[in-house]
Amino acid sequence: MKKIVLVISILLISIATSAQKKKKNAKVFFDVDGVCMMCKSRIEKAALNSKGVKYALWNVKTHQLNLIIDERKIDVSTIQQNIANIGHDTGVFKAPKLAYDNLHGCCKYRDEEVQDDHKKEKK
Amino acid sequence: MKKYILSILILVSTISFSQEKLKGMIMDKNGPKNNQGIYGASVHWLTTNVGVTTNEKGWFNIPYKSTYKKLVVSFVGFKTDTIIISSLKPVHHFLRENNTLEEVTIESKKSATQKSYLQSQNLITINSAELLKAACCNLAESFETNPSIDVNFSDALTGTKQIQMLGLTSPYLLITQENIPSIRGASQAFGLSFTPGTWVESIQITKGAGSVVNGYESISGQINAELVKPYTNHRFFANAYASAGGRLEFNTHVNQKVSDKWQTGLYIHGNYRGQKFDKNNDNFLDNPLAKQVNIMNRWQYVDAQKGWVSFINFRYLDDNKQVGQFNFNPDFHKGSSTVWGSEIKTKRFDTSAKLGYVFPDLPFQSMGIQAAYSNHKQDSYFGLSDYNIQHQSFYTNFVFNSIIGDTRNKFKTGVNFTYDKYDEFVKVGLAQDFDRKENSFGAFFEYAYDNADDLSITAGLRIDKHSLLGTFLTPRLHVRYTAWEKGVFRASIGKGRRSANIFAENQQFLASSRQINIDGVGVGDKAYGLNPEVAWNYGVSFLQGYKLFGKKGDVTFDFYRTDFKNQVVVDWENPQEISFYNLNGNSVANSFQLEVNQNIIPYFNTRFSYKHYDVSTDYKSGNLDKALQAKHRFFANVSFETEKKENDAHWKFDVTYNWIGEQRLPNTQTNAIEYRLPELSDSYNLLNMQVTKVFSKKFEIYAGAENITNYKQKNPILGSDDPFGVNFDTTIIYAPVFGRNFYTGLRFKID
């Protein structure tokens, strides 16, 4: 549910902003799946490697990735695609199987056992 | 009891779920409140994908199989640990913070001394815990447990300790207080003893060329002292100290909240030594009679939402020293040639203000402005010689921080302006004024690349226009490369430049019968007619962190070379003269250091270092090794703490050992035979020890002994039998004058 709301809101934001002038320092955020600190550095690196992303901070608790981007150079979906390509699901894009399989054992966020443990701990 | 309940709980859970689980808690070792759990730390079994994260209280609950042996615990900003699990006993594990220090970030409770693995500069941070290892009464004495800085004894009379880095004395270091250049000009000789130890929150030592942001003056390195902050310091703090050497000290801090955003602190320091000692029977006081009152008022403003921070400081110092012959009484003997004595009176007023702004929408962008004014006035006489100096200084600096592209490419840029006015009067035989004004305007740009992984580079360039030194460029470059885990290579190169304050920096010569000799005095509008000092500093270092039998350790090698293009040579080689002249030829300081830090058992740490200095200068009389400089030094520090009880009660033990090798003594061969010294001094050992008993979070007492082996330099004052004669000289000091000394003190704090 939360994710749907997020996706819709992101879509709305991007529609709203594209109608306006593109901002040089736009703050955007979306969810990225991941479990650990290793994921964090991988996700943030992938974000920063996307040209136009100035700042990236991923929160391991909330799974939210906060970005400051130059909208004239990049759009959010490109960044999401880039992050998915290195193995992390984002709200819209699912990571390719090959990329996901390449992740370190502790980063297998789709693994039920790993996920279950997370859910338990979150409650 | 808690443990039993836990194991019962675990038993219950194993029964009810028929699946084994390991329970535990992950805590922050250095957190502001000990034993507080870390929320969101990741815990997984090695080589499996079974992992969990900890809850808000730091607890985790992870499925367990007997084949699982090693549990990996990690959290951002902390060092990842692997724990060996052999039973289902609940795990209580502390994570230690990683050394991810921002340049000016101050953390209150990390390990006592930290070496950065991530900074591009060779940076060592000493925090207040390290400062408590010796009852260091002021900044000059606070380096005694750290091998990167050598503490030397500079003169027999004032007992002032000079510091050295990379084999060069403190004038070649840039000493800043909260990044504002502070101990320079007239305060060079005694300035370090004008900052009370309890005011110091942490010290950052950068070896080699520093950052261009703070100016062009640093040559061998930079020392930055961060003072206690009204927001983070204790609400009330008091420290009292007394030593068998007759020194009494008192410190008190009061911090008070004024409004939601303003906080103020009042810090008062006083020290007094009124007792006369002449243990070596040379008819001279072994230690000066001293009185110091030092008051500081700080204001701190924080508005986190809008991004503004500010500091405003006011400070006043009054320091009096009396030295000389045992019977000297200034009221009767001042200005006469019957009894030799000296008084040094200093009054200093400082004020500074800082304003910083972080753009709330752009966390990577900030700017700051600093302004500082000081008025330093020293009136002194040494026997029949006079030395008076008044130095007024104004400094201001504006810095803007941002990024190029993304946060891996950062830059700092800004401008600064300095104004110094000196009124200097010297009377050694003839009276002479050396009044001058200097001002400089500079602009800098520093680019830093950090791929958040194995490589960081800092490159800076500044241009300055100085009224006496001319217009010049100062380049600096630092590179860090992490070749493998915890194996860090660093290299740096940089240029530095300064105008020497020859009298202020070498005041000890006034307590001798040496004549002054300055080449080129009165020529041009240069300070003392001497050209500015220019030097290049190159350095490489390697740091390797490791684990030996599960205990952490690190080993560092570093090598630095300082190559003077121009130096104001201070020549003591004629015992009747002191000469200042510009270098003609080579002057080089090579420094090699090997340092090993090893943890033996929890709370038991050792530190060993060996240093080799090769410092030589082309004097007029030929190339000579620097006088009063040991080529070889060995250092060891052992610290042990007992486990803390619930009310924080524990014991702390510290032992510091120094072996100082032979030192070349200045040439005295032209003196009459009874006033000659050997070519080399003896090597000697120094041993200091301190015990602290912490009774609770509020109260602790400490006791210690300095120079336990009671080593004393024989005959520290040459010609002490005839202080108005031609052979009188107090400058040749290579070892302690005062023997063994015991001290005790207490600290009381309310948070």
Side-chain angles (χ1 to χ4, degrees), chain A residues 25 27 35-38 40 45 48-50 52-56 60-61 68 73 104-108 111 113-115 117-118 120-123, chain B residues 21 39-40 42 44 48-56 59-61 63 68 74-76 360-364 403 405-408 451-453:
Chain A
N25 289 304
K27 272 192 163 177
V35 274
C36 62
M37 287 305 127
M38 216 202 269
K40 179 180 163 76
K45 243 187 209 176
L48 286 175
N49 278 329
S50 313
V53 175
K54 298 181 169 185
Y55 171 89
V60 72
K61 282 180 264 173
I68 294 174
K73 289 188 184 156
H104 188 271
C106 81
C107 299
K108 301 274 197 240
D111 196 297
E113 204 173 356
V114 176
Q115 235 174 36
D117 284 326
H118 273 268
K120 266 183 217 158
E121 289 306 317
K122 269 189 179 175
K123 271 166 196 168
Chain B
K21 288 250 182 192
Y39 176 28
S42 132
H44 77 267
T48 72
N49 47 28
V50 182
V52 295
T53 53
T54 54
N55 68 10
E56 310 87 83
W59 286 94
F60 67 89
N61 210 329
Y68 297 162
S74 62
F75 188 64
V76 66
D361 287 337
L362 302 170
F364 47 78
I403 58 166
D406 59 57
T407 49
R408 291 171 297 187
N451 70 357
D453 202 3

Side-chain angles (χ1 to χ4, degrees), chain B residues 375-605:
Chain B
N375 186 341
H376 184 104
K377 193 170 187 306
Q378 179 188 325
D379 289 310
S380 48
Y381 61 88
F382 300 79
L384 299 172
S385 301
D386 288 334
Y387 181 64
N388 298 330
I389 183 166
Q390 184 174 13
H391 176 190
Q392 291 183 68
S393 175
F394 176 73
Y395 171 86
T396 181
N397 168 342
F398 171 80
V399 191
F400 177 76
N401 290 291
S402 191
I403 58 166
I404 303 167
D406 59 57
T407 49
R408 291 171 297 187
N409 301 280
K410 294 186 175 130
F411 72 88
K412 285 181 188 175
T413 185
V415 287
N416 51 23
F417 174 75
T418 318
Y419 171 80
D420 291 296
K421 180 171 180 282
Y422 295 92
D423 292 312
E424 194 172 30
F425 172 78
V426 187
K427 193 187 113 210
V428 179
L430 294 166
Q432 221 171 338
D433 280 309
F434 293 93
D435 295 352
R436 62 194 186 277
K437 283 178 194 162
E438 296 180 11
N439 62 64
S440 76
F441 181 78
F444 57 87
F445 185 86
E446 186 177 80
Y447 165 77
Y449 172 78
D450 187 347
N451 70 357
D453 202 3
D454 56 358
L455 180 70
S456 55
I457 298 168
T458 308
L461 183 69
R462 58 178 297 132
I463 179 162
D464 289 273
K465 187 178 183 326
H466 188 283
S467 60
L468 300 182
L469 311 187
T471 303
F472 53 93
L473 290 173
T474 308
R476 306 260 167 99
L477 176 71
H478 296 86
V479 179
R480 168 198 61 104
Y481 178 65
T482 304
W484 49 79
E485 208 191 335
K486 291 194 172 164
V488 183
F489 289 93
R490 284 191 177 85
S492 71
I493 178 166
K495 199 176 188 178
R497 185 182 296 246
R498 60 187 289 277
S499 60
N501 288 291
I502 56 172
F503 297 117
E505 287 158 18
N506 299 288
Q507 287 182 41
Q508 71 270 32
F509 89 87
L510 291 158
S512 73
S513 51
R514 288 174 188 265
Q515 295 301 304
I516 331 168
N517 207 337
I518 310 171
D519 277 15
V521 69
V523 177
D525 54 0
K526 294 176 281 193
Y528 315 104
L530 295 164
N531 288 319
E533 302 194 277
V534 182
W536 282 92
N537 181 289
Y538 325 83
V540 285
S541 75
F542 174 64
L543 164 66
Q544 179 69 59
Y546 61 87
K547 268 193 173 175
L548 187 69
F549 309 118
K551 303 297 172 201
K552 275 179 192 155
D554 62 68
V555 54
T556 315
F557 303 90
D558 58 42
F559 176 78
Y560 285 87
R561 179 185 173 91
T562 309
D563 210 332
F564 284 92
K565 295 295 153 217
N566 190 24
Q567 187 178 24
V568 173
V569 178
V570 182
D571 188 337
W572 304 87
E573 298 306 319
N574 177 339
Q576 267 67 54
E577 272 183 10
I578 174 170
S579 300
F580 301 99
Y581 48 83
N582 279 124
L583 178 72
N584 184 8
N586 295 316
S587 178
V588 174
N590 290 313
S591 133
F592 170 79
Q593 180 173 335
L594 168 66
E595 183 182 335
V596 181
N597 285 287
Q598 179 66 51
N599 169 250
I600 309 285
I601 50 170
Y603 301 111
F604 184 45
N605 292 297

Side-chain angles (χ1 to χ4, degrees), chain B residues 132 237-239 690 692 698-700 702 745-749:
Chain B
L132 298 179
F237 172 84
N239 168 44
Q690 183 178 297
T692 306
K698 285 195 175 125
F699 185 65
E700 62 192 63
Y702 56 88
L746 59 88
R747 298 186 188 101
F748 177 74
K749 52 207 169 195

